[in-house]
Amino acid sequence: MAVSSPAAPDVRRTMIAAILLGIGFMAAIDEIIFHQVLAWHHFIDTGSSALALASDGLLHTMELVLFIVGAFMMIELHGRAAQAPGYRGPGFLLGMGGFQTFDGIVDHKILGLHQVRYVEHVWLYDIAWIGAGLIMLAIGWTLLKRARQGKAMSQH
Amino acid sequence: MTAHATQHDAMTMGSTSMVALLLIALLWLAYMAGTRRLHRQKPWPWWRTLLFTLGCMTLAAGFVPALMHAAHQDVRWHMVQHLLLGMFAPLGLVFAAPMTLLLRNLPTEGARGLVRFLGTWPVRVLTHPITAALLDIGGMYLLYMTPLYAHSLVTPWLSTFLHLHFVVSGTLFTWAIAGPDPAPHRPGWRMRMGVLFVAMAAHATLGKLLYAFNFPRGTGADPEELHQAAMWMYYWGDLAEATLVVALMLAWLRRRRRLSASGGGVG
């Protein structure tokens, strides 16, 4: 599509699209690496209630849909040159870290859908899992602050 | 099961298979004739013809006698058949825009009549995304969570009906959610995305339920087979449904680009 003059960067939409992509990306890593390749996670936890299975199904669908929606939002912003350059990275990291932390606390611990790994001392894995999420959140947050101060690393 | 019943089943399956393959061949020929006739005035997109051909091939693959027999013996092959007939073939058939092709081929009077018929309330209720989702996903809950599936294995007419139901409800759902054919009475983008989302979640949940509680029951299949079938349904179903989300988002992108090109409504 021809754009006559570059539009003003749309920070809000860029952040939303990047966060959605981050959530979808982390969920895909979880699904592909930990479920399929390493088989640390099981398809279902033994003794799952129907309710837990339904919430698992809902969450899985949400990840998939959000990733596709995020990708199309980013394409649309790109089409009218409205991506806010310094905000894509922080958005992506906040999405990844947010999902990882949510997954570690709510899915694994509160709902008990599945555990990181079915071994003794699972708390070590939990700390690594949630800790990785918090680190991504922290980096994302720092980069977001820099972008807001006009010190973003990417300007394209 | 007695030897007589087995032989009888095999015969029914064989004839179902033959009738289905013949109908698919006729359908494909009709589509090809339609594109050929149209080509003299205005070219029909080649990729739509390709999609229809792939859809027909997928449908035919789901009805070949060997798969029919394997699916009768083993729930995993049944699931493969279900995915081919109800989820992947409809993608090809629907995105080939057969109704658009038909409307362009019909004389004006005939096309008007067809459009009028599609606008009548029974058709509108039937092709509403919610109805289509209930028939499609609701039908699957009914089939796998109740004794219906075990029953279908020993009742040839029910088995034939189910195969037909897979094709019809799958096509109806795909068409109602993201079909490219003109549909003046179709609900808006938000409603269709919402229904698709709920249907996807219901489908994923069904996959997990089948796995967790060893459904469908009463078939004598061992849990390993049932688990495999449930996981195939879950992951391959995802792929078909993700395609629908992409189709809906493409329509969204086109609309936004039109709006921004005309200089208004973006924000």
Side-chain angles (χ1 to χ4, degrees), chain B residues 67 82 137 180 247:
Chain B
L67 183 59
H82 156 76
I137 311 290

Side-chain angles (χ1 to χ4, degrees), chain B residues 118-230:
Chain B
L118 291 177
T120 56
W121 71 264
V123 178
R124 276 163 66 179
V125 170
L126 188 68
T127 56
H128 193 282
I130 294 178
T131 320
L134 280 175
L135 283 173
D136 196 27
I137 311 290
M140 288 177 64
Y141 270 84
L142 208 61
L143 178 61
Y144 298 128
M145 305 285 282
T146 70
L148 192 61
Y149 178 73
H151 203 61
S152 80
L153 291 178
V154 289
T155 317
W157 71 264
L158 186 59
S159 163
T160 307
F161 173 80
L162 287 176
H163 289 110
L164 198 66
H165 178 80
F166 280 151
V167 178
V168 172
S169 68
T171 307
L172 186 68
F173 180 69
T174 306
W175 189 84
I177 293 290
D181 284 320
H185 302 290
R186 184 142 59 193
W189 182 85
R190 272 164 203 271
M191 158 71 97
R192 286 185 282 149
M193 190 58 121
V195 173
L196 177 58
F197 180 78
V198 173
M200 286 172 76
H203 189 268
T205 301
L206 181 59
K208 300 245 170 190
L209 288 172
L210 297 187
Y211 188 104
F213 302 110
N214 294 326
F215 284 106
R217 289 182 184 156
T219 63
D222 62 72
E224 269 311 300
E225 282 177 23
L226 295 175
H227 286 177
Q228 199 107 54

Side-chain angles (χ1 to χ4, degrees), chain B:
Chain B
M1 204 186 295
T2 64
H4 173 77
T6 314
Q7 198 187 9
H8 182 76
D9 281 1
M11 273 171 61
T12 320
M13 265 190 281
S15 52
T16 305
S17 177
M18 285 307 142
V19 171
L21 291 176
L22 188 68
L23 286 176
I24 295 163
L26 286 175
L27 198 67
W28 185 75
L29 285 174
Y31 189 95
M32 295 311 281
T35 59
R36 181 149 287 242
R37 193 162 163 273
L38 213 60
H39 234 83
R40 282 184 231 129
Q41 307 140 25
K42 195 180 164 203
W44 180 254
W46 62 268
W47 55 271
R48 291 224 194 264
T49 310
L50 179 68
L51 277 178
F52 199 78
T53 307
L54 289 174
C56 285
M57 282 166 67
T58 311
L59 213 51
F63 276 114
V64 292
L67 183 59
M68 294 279 283
H69 287 288
H72 196 77
Q73 310 294 335
D74 188 328
V75 66
R76 288 172 295 185
W77 286 110
H78 163 80
M79 205 49 91
V80 170
Q81 193 181 26
H82 156 76
L83 287 163
L84 291 174
L85 296 181
M87 302 201 83
F88 286 100
L91 290 176
L93 300 180
V94 168
F95 288 105
M99 200 62 96
T100 307
L101 184 68
L102 181 61
L103 286 172
R104 283 206 201 150
N105 269 290
L106 284 174
T108 321
E109 211 24 66
R112 277 213 194 101
L114 182 60
V115 170
R116 258 202 308 279
F117 169 73
L118 291 177
T120 56
W121 71 264
V123 178
R124 276 163 66 179
V125 170
L126 188 68
T127 56
H128 193 282
I130 294 178
T131 320
L134 280 175
L135 283 173
D136 196 27
I137 311 290
M140 288 177 64
Y141 270 84
L142 208 61
L143 178 61
Y144 298 128
M145 305 285 282
T146 70
L148 192 61
Y149 178 73
H151 203 61
S152 80
L153 291 178
V154 289
T155 317
W157 71 264
L158 186 59
S159 163
T160 307
F161 173 80
L162 287 176
H163 289 110
L164 198 66
H165 178 80
F166 280 151
V167 178
V168 172
S169 68
T171 307
L172 186 68
F173 180 69
T174 306
W175 189 84
I177 293 290
D181 284 320
H185 302 290
R186 184 142 59 193
W189 182 85
R190 272 164 203 271
M191 158 71 97
R192 286 185 282 149
M193 190 58 121
V195 173
L196 177 58
F197 180 78
V198 173
M200 286 172 76
H203 189 268
T205 301
L206 181 59
K208 300 245 170 190
L209 288 172
L210 297 187
Y211 188 104
F213 302 110
N214 294 326
F215 284 106
R217 289 182 184 156
T219 63
D222 62 72
E224 269 311 300
E225 282 177 23
L226 295 175
H227 286 177
Q228 199 107 54
M231 283 175 76
W232 285 356
M233 176 178 137
Y234 185 85
Y235 288 112
W236 287 99
D238 257 9
L239 189 66
E241 287 159 340
T243 311
L244 289 183
V245 180
V246 169
L248 273 182
M249 289 312 293
L250 273 171
W252 171 86
L253 187 65
R254 272 198 297 273
R255 208 178 102 249
R256 280 198 65 96
R257 286 190 169 171
R258 258 205 313 279
L259 286 174
S260 88
S262 64
V266 174

